[in-house]
Amino acid sequence: MATDCIFCKLANNEIPTNLIYEDDNVVAFNDLAPQAPTHFLVIPKKHYSSLNEISSQEEFGNIFSVVPKICAKLGIKEYRTVINTGASAGQTVFHIHVHVMAGREFGWPAG
Ligand code: 5GP
Ligand code: ZN
């Protein structure tokens, strides 16, 4: 756990949050500043600052395989998934997270 990392604190319940999903490896919670009617984040409990730090298929699988499960639970069939890697790509929190957004039309290419 990175002591100054807000998402580590959320994942370890040091900052109380309404989790929409939790298992041994990951948690999911609604984004503080939603960019769509549904906008939640999936993060590993273990700290990785970005996708560049993930080399294990297992860890990658952990954060992605829960996305369709959570969406099914929420009754969502169409959604946008995004991982921003690095500041120029829009990453602002340096603990890897998968954005899952739904409930509106999304443009392409992403801005
Ligand atoms: P990034 O820009 O790094 O891809 O995404 C970071 C996301 O985390 C943003 O969408 C931002 O709204 C969200 N966020 C930042 N701090 C918090 C927080 O304390 N709680 C929650 N729920 N979301 C946060
Ligand atoms: Zn962290």
Side-chain angles (χ1 to χ4, degrees):
M1 164 161 174
T3 49
D4 56 348
C5 173
I6 182 103
F7 282 4
C8 281
K9 289 182 176 145
L10 291 174
N12 289 283
N13 210 26
E14 280 184 35
I15 300 174
T17 322
N18 283 333
L19 298 181
I20 60 175
Y21 177 87
E22 178 171 22
D23 66 25
D24 288 347
N25 303 302
V26 311
V27 297
F29 49 88
N30 286 317
D31 197 290
L32 195 62
Q35 300 302 310
T38 297
H39 184 178
F40 64 87
L41 305 173
V42 181
I43 69 170
K45 288 184 172 176
K46 192 171 167 202
H47 182 86
Y48 299 92
S49 62
S50 80
L51 183 57
N52 289 333
E53 278 193 12
I54 294 195
S55 54
S56 122
Q57 285 188 12
E58 191 185 350
E59 195 65 271
F60 188 72
N62 288 340
I63 53 175
F64 256 105
S65 62
V66 299
V67 171
K69 286 189 216 167
I70 298 169
C71 287
K73 209 170 73 175
L74 297 174
I76 293 167
K77 292 201 174 84
E78 300 189 355
Y79 48 87
R80 170 71 55 86
T81 47
V82 173
I83 296 179
N84 296 321
T85 304
S88 70
Q91 186 175 8
T92 58
V93 176
F94 286 82
H95 178 129
I96 188 175
H97 46 280
V98 181
H99 292 262
V100 183
M101 290 168 280
R104 67 168 172 84
E105 296 285 318
F106 294 95
W108 190 258

